[in-house]
Amino acid sequence: MKQSGTKLYKVFIYLVLCLLAISIIIPVGWVFLASIKENSEFYRSPWAMPAGIYFQNFVDAWNRASMGAYVLNSIVVTAMALSLLLVTALPASYVLARFDFPGKRLLRQLFKGGLFINVNYIVVPIFLMFVDAQKFLTSAHIEFMPMLLNNRFMLAVVYASTALPFTIHLLSSYFITLPSTFEEAAAIDGAGYFTTMLKIMIPMAKPSIITVILFNFLSFWNEYIISFTFMTKQELRTLPVGLMNLMAAQNAAQQYGQLYAGMVMVMLPTLILYIFVQKQLTEGMTAGGSKE
Amino acid sequence: MNGKKSRTRFALLCVFPATILFFIFMIYPTFQVFKMSLYKWGGYSPKKTFVGLNNFKILMEDMKFVKSFQDTILAIVVVTIVTLTLAIIFAAILSREKIKGQNFFRIIFYIPNILSIVVIAGIFSAIYNPKQGLLNSILSLFNGGGQPILWLGDKHLVNYAIIGALIWQAIGYYMVMYMASMANIPDSFYEAADLDGAGKFKQFFAVTLPLVWNNIRTTLTFFIISTINLSFLLVQTMTSGGPNGASEVVLSYMYKQAYSNSSYGYAMAIGVIVFTFSFVLSAIVSFVTKRDILEY
């Protein structure tokens, strides 16, 4: 009696686990299959297996729906934002963790408070700030007038800034745990603060730097609302915003193939990354995500 | 060499760039949200009128806002209860039972969390498609070609359709989080419970649940904030608030007021209310769920 009870329990568990797994695999896998279908196949049955590999969808999405340009924009913005984030957050996290200086406690509290700032509201004032600054620059006839909206660098700056609180929080908590003997030894050898930080301490923080890069890559690559607000020019849009337009256009025109090819272009880089680093990602999440 | 002085100078130099960015693009805009909520202001025009709390007064009588607020609360409650329950059960199963392919399940469950919200919107638009969608295709096997259900076109269903997508997206993330805290529970606790004759369910309620309680408390705050944000993003990308405003949530209503209606002051008043609401709700939840932390 007890035997069959546990057996039934086991079967039930596997059933439930498989159901949830299927609910994820089918829709995600289906996007990949749909991206290689000819449009006529969608009319017969959208959920049937593809008859062959119709790669033209990707070519069309890349060229005609300008997904190629969006891919490039996304790569450029994500790379700039990540570099900017690391260049500013690493030194800040290092000294916030290991140095004493006036205003340090306040600054730490402020960055911590920044974790609670909701990007979705502050996008509106930042947008208006850019509009105002643009007006000022135009009226002052400043030569080489930089555009603030529709500027990939400025978008990267906003991405990096909004990622600072989380990144500094995570990096500082790692720097605090490193032993101080390395710094002392470096000082005896005559290394300055800057050299010590760059050559010794930052390389030691590599595991947490990788975590930071992974999380921020995912959030910058997938970001939608900031980019949607700041990039009003078609040709400067990033991948998710471009995909959104493609979805609206293709749904209206009933051209599904290109749409799913576009979705694959957004998903594929993150999926590949995830396959390689899923362990670091899920472990890093619990290290930085929830403590305190 | 004046060691202390140069040390301080180095430290200040290091925090300077990050601090500047943080103040310009996070602290200052946050202040602006609060300040602008007190003005009647179109945004582009220089004409700004100080109206004090008037924006908030209008909001209280704006039925569209009240409805969007109720829908947001509904989403928070349903998403939290369903996701929390499922995530914790799956986490307990995967960390306590000997499951073949345990790693496989863990990897698969986390995938929705790395997808862009636009991709999720695309996937669910296909699932909810009334004619050819997966959901209606499955349902038609049972009811044999009745009227197709308009998941996103029916004003009573659309909120639950969005909630479904939110839950799908979130389960894996929270599951991994609970698994990590369950991994810290020593095996001896379960062995002792076993010897006392406690069954699986008893062990779950007497050992697992109390020891991950603190982790659950922290995630409750995440649930509130992320549901507010993600429900907004999904509404923007899937329904644009439709049909006829039925799926509007607070933040999508705020965006409409700001960008479509050019009432920036009014929009920022909504921002202030949502901010205060999420903050107060998190504080209440954290107070109500307070227990003595169990050490192990």
Side-chain angles (χ1 to χ4, degrees), chain A residues 167-212:
Chain A
T167 308
I168 288 180
H169 170 69
L170 204 136
L171 288 174
S172 296
S173 6
Y174 194 83
F175 274 122
I176 281 182
T177 63
L178 297 178
S180 58
T181 45
F182 290 92
E183 281 160 315
E184 286 155 15
I188 290 167
D189 288 345
Y193 297 121
F194 188 71
T195 321
T196 311
M197 175 178 83
L198 206 64
K199 295 254 167 78
I200 297 165
M201 299 311 279
I202 289 183
M204 281 174 74
K206 208 168 137 201
S208 73
I209 294 173
I210 290 174
T211 309
V212 160

Side-chain angles (χ1 to χ4, degrees), chain A residues 91-92 94-96 98-102 104 107 193, chain B residues 4-17 19:
Chain A
Y94 172 59
V95 295
L96 280 170
R98 308 189 68 93
F99 280 64
D100 261 324
F101 56 89
K104 173 178 140 167
L107 210 53
Y193 297 121
Chain B
K4 184 131 197 259
K5 215 170 176 181
S6 75
R7 234 180 116 75
T8 307
R9 202 182 309 143
F10 170 76
L12 290 175
L13 208 67
C14 281
V15 290
F16 185 72
T19 311

Side-chain angles (χ1 to χ4, degrees), chain A residues 76-94:
Chain A
V76 169
V77 172
T78 306
M80 282 197 293
L82 275 179
S83 331
L84 202 64
L85 178 65
L86 287 181
V87 167
T88 53
L90 271 170
S93 323
Y94 172 59

Side-chain angles (χ1 to χ4, degrees), chain A residues 14 47 118 120 193 244 274, chain B residues 7 100 107 132 229 237:
Chain A
Y14 275 108
W47 295 90
N118 190 318
N120 293 313
Y193 297 121
M244 200 50 225
Y274 176 64
Chain B
R7 234 180 116 75
K100 279 202 193 86
I107 293 171
Q132 307 157 318
N229 289 338
T237 47

Side-chain angles (χ1 to χ4, degrees), chain A residues 55-71 234 246 250 258 261-262 265:
Chain A
F55 200 69
Q56 191 62 29
N57 287 332
F58 285 87
V59 178
D60 286 346
W62 188 269
N63 295 326
R64 271 196 247 157
S66 46
M67 291 305 273
Y70 302 145
V71 168
Q234 177 96 28
L246 186 65
Q250 305 296 62
Q258 283 181 47
M265 288 179 200

